[in-house]
Amino acid sequence: MTSTKDVEKSAMIARMWVSQAKGLISEMGLVIERADQKGVQLRMPFNPDFCVDEAKTILHGGILTALLDSTFGLANFLAVDDIQTMATLDLRVDYLRPASSRADVVVFAECYRKTRHIAFGSGKVWFDNGDCEEVARGSATFAITRGKGSLFDTMKKAGPSA
Amino acid sequence: MKLLDIQARCDRVPFFRHLGFSVTEVNDMQILAIMPFEQRHIGNPMLDTYHGGIIASFMEAIASLTVLGDLNSPPPKPVNLTVDYLRPGLPGTLNARASILRRGRRIASVETTAWLDDEGKPVAKGLFHFLLV
């Protein structure tokens, strides 16, 4: 059973994660669609800067890789209650078809197994264009540390503008 | 292909301009490039380190350039990738080398390394597969 407290904490972590984002994550303009201990779903609006062609119709695969990596991060944060730090150990991405659409990109990622030191993630990416064909799948492992003084506490202290 | 021609091609790709890297060395089997650190490359807002996806994208970009047929050919189609993150991507100019492991008629495998100051202490290593047809 997921308690109301857990739901509220998940929502708060997801909001902080977006509001305190810097660099690439803020460039991506992510919108949270779902964020709880079972998984995270985010929406990324089309951005011509992420395209591989001059006509700006096809996204570069690398941005999908980056999107998956980011989403794994948030999924770990929500799934591992006392997570202090995490570092991506490895990341694998399969590009299933060309990313040729100007529709929003949607990503779902979950932490499907967590141990004392390692978190395992799996995710997929599709376009919100009606048929929702998958464009990429990814999996990753993370080295994590757990204990008192969690990342949640650190981010809470840092505040929304940090 | 000459270095200047490859750089000119890179300059036409919106996402490559976003990454902001420069190709520094080109031969038949390898490409070297450097990417200055930018705020938009940050992944971890507490540590201001590179986003893992930016490092992977930089390596994928130069990996694809190594197997480009000629300057007017369409970009090779990326099939998949694996990246090992070996050290923290601290803020600083990132170097990357992409080397062709095998180039067949249909498939190419390209190995990459990214490092900050010392190539012997890589930040990440990658393996990329491309479809050439």
Side-chain angles (χ1 to χ4, degrees), chain A residues 30-41:
Chain A
L30 301 176
V31 178
I32 299 166
E33 298 208 320
R34 172 189 166 181
D36 55 53
Q37 288 167 312
K38 295 270 174 60
V40 173
Q41 188 168 309

Side-chain angles (χ1 to χ4, degrees), chain A residues 34-52:
Chain A
R34 172 189 166 181
D36 55 53
Q37 288 167 312
K38 295 270 174 60
V40 173
Q41 188 168 309
L42 305 174
R43 174 178 295 268
M44 182 180 80
F46 176 77
N47 182 340
D49 288 349
F50 299 154
C51 285
V52 73

Side-chain angles (χ1 to χ4, degrees), chain B residues 40-115:
Chain B
R40 62 177 185 274
H41 294 155
I42 291 175
N44 184 323
M46 316 297 253
L47 304 173
D48 283 2
T49 46
Y50 274 100
H51 193 290
I54 288 285
I55 299 173
S57 295
F58 177 33
M59 294 197 298
E60 180 175 330
I62 65 160
S64 73
L65 293 171
T66 60
V67 290
L68 196 63
D70 63 71
L71 281 172
N72 297 311
S73 56
K77 302 178 186 80
V79 179
N80 61 25
L81 62 98
T82 53
V83 174
D84 273 32
Y85 294 99
L86 303 168
R87 289 183 178 79
L90 301 173
T93 298
L94 202 62
N95 303 268
R97 179 193 299 277
S99 317
I100 299 175
L101 288 178
R102 172 162 156 80
R103 185 197 181 116
R105 275 188 301 122
R106 294 186 303 141
I107 306 285
S109 298
V110 183
E111 186 184 54
T112 61
T113 305
W115 69 94

Side-chain angles (χ1 to χ4, degrees), chain A residues 2-3 33 43 45 47 51 71 104 122 150-151 155 158:
Chain A
T2 312
S3 73
E33 298 208 320
R43 174 178 295 268
N47 182 340
C51 285
T71 316
D104 288 0
S122 161
S150 69
L151 188 52
M155 282 185 87

